[in-house]
Amino acid sequence: MRILITNDDGIRAPGMQSLVRVASQFGDVKVVAPDRERSACGHSMTMRDPLRVVPYAFDGLEAYEVNGVPVDCVNVGLTVCWPDGCDLILSGINNGPNLGFDITYSGTVAGAMEGAINGIRAISLSMATFVTGAPAHYQTGESWLMENWVSLTTTPEKPLTFLNVNIPAIDYTELRGVRVCGMGQRVYKDRVEFREDPWGRPYYWQGGVVVMDPDTQPGTDVEAVSQGFVSVTPVSLDWTDRGHVETLSKCLGHPATGNSR
Ligand code: MN
């Protein structure tokens, strides 16, 4: 199995080492990852600047660090490492959760998304730590992935979809199992914080505190992880709200609105 691995925490991140260790047991792994942390870059790509691709010593594997984001890394990987394509693209293991619609901000998830766009089976993986500085428990992620590798990578493939996996940051023995579930909601308050620099000039820093009650979100990744389950969410690249197409076209096509032409 030909495997390409990327992440958004940078090629030196411990979560990437966990992912590489497991994947190497099952296939031929090549790594292309950002040269520094690029978390929350979303599905962006570098277009106005050159991408520098520098060999990186990674346990004897073919690996490169790139001055770009995960999307860049996937596309560089498919050009430099696997010009004839590969069988699996993995992104992670991220330091922090990628739950609910936070996945739209996530560089980790974007790596898998880019894999799916290229028609390749892709999985994003994240350690769901909820307190800054709390241990990420990558060993739990490593053990869970090792045990579930075969089922995770041989599920029937659906084109233009990928899997988003969140592993609770707890001891492996405390994991309660796995749940296949939908996306929940992550809502923040105090998103933008006002501060002053040493010269008294104002600036703003974006972060915020999550305010959400997992118990009100049954059947979601948010609930699953809060209860100690690994969440696996199939994500489609097609964001169309199919259920709303007919209603909307009736509204927008109604002569009375003046928008019939
Ligand atoms: Mn990250």
Side-chain angles (χ1 to χ4, degrees):
M1 181 185 267
R2 301 164 299 174
I3 304 168
L4 177 64
I5 294 185
T6 193
N7 73 353
D8 78 353
D9 293 337
I11 200 161
R12 292 158 186 81
M16 160 150 281
Q17 287 163 14
S18 289
L19 191 50
V20 167
R21 262 195 297 276
V22 177
S24 298
Q25 311 277 318
F26 298 94
D28 189 0
V29 172
K30 300 187 181 187
V31 176
V32 182
D35 58 5
R36 60 188 187 277
E37 195 195 332
R38 303 304 297 259
S39 291
C41 64
H43 195 229
S44 64
M45 69 188 295
T46 304
M47 291 186 73
R48 302 285 185 241
D49 295 297
L51 293 171
R52 307 294 178 185
V53 180
V54 180
Y56 181 85
F58 205 126
D59 300 336
L61 299 172
E62 185 178 344
Y64 303 93
E65 56 179 322
V66 177
N67 61 333
V69 290
V71 168
D72 302 328
C73 293
V74 167
N75 291 321
V76 164
L78 292 174
T79 305
V80 175
C81 300
W82 298 114
D84 298 323
C86 67
D87 308 300
L88 179 66
I89 291 181
L90 299 173
S91 186
I93 303 174
N94 187 60
N95 179 18
N98 278 304
L99 299 163
F101 37 57
D102 270 2
I103 71 170
T104 60
Y105 304 117
S106 170
T108 305
V109 172
M113 198 184 293
E114 194 64 10
I117 285 173
N118 279 282
I120 298 164
R121 181 191 288 272
I123 306 169
S124 50
L125 301 114
S126 305
M127 291 309 304
T129 45
F130 291 102
V131 181
T132 308
H137 287 268
Y138 290 116
Q139 185 56 52
T140 300
E142 215 171 310
S143 302
W144 183 83
L145 186 59
M146 186 70 98
E147 193 151 298
N148 292 274
W149 177 275
V150 175
S151 48
L152 203 60
T153 59
T154 58
T155 55
E157 253 188 296
K158 198 172 170 228
L160 302 183
T161 66
F162 62 93
L163 299 181
N164 183 40
V165 176
N166 279 273
I167 302 148
I170 53 181
D171 279 343
Y172 185 64
T173 51
E174 291 170 10
L175 277 187
R176 294 175 65 194
V178 57
R179 277 191 187 157
V180 177
C181 47
M183 282 166 61
Q185 297 183 15
R186 295 261 288 168
V187 180
Y188 294 82
K189 70 163 186 174
D190 302 331
R191 193 90 221 218
V192 175
E193 207 173 299
F194 170 82
R195 296 183 182 187
E196 272 182 21
D197 73 10
W199 295 272
R201 295 173 303 192
Y203 67 96
Y204 295 86
W205 202 313
Q206 216 164 201
V209 182
V210 177
V211 280
M212 48 151 204
D213 183 5
D215 300 333
T216 61
Q217 301 188 46
T220 66
D221 51 2
V222 171
E223 184 204 50
V225 165
S226 76
Q227 295 179 352
F229 292 88
V230 173
S231 70
V232 179
T233 301
V235 182
S236 170
L237 291 178
D238 183 352
W239 288 12
T240 313
D241 184 348
R242 298 275 168 215
H244 198 46
V245 166
E246 201 181 318
T247 315
L248 188 63
S249 59
K250 273 180 191 156
C251 292
L252 296 178
H254 198 280
T257 65
N259 289 329
S260 59
R261 294 174 70 87

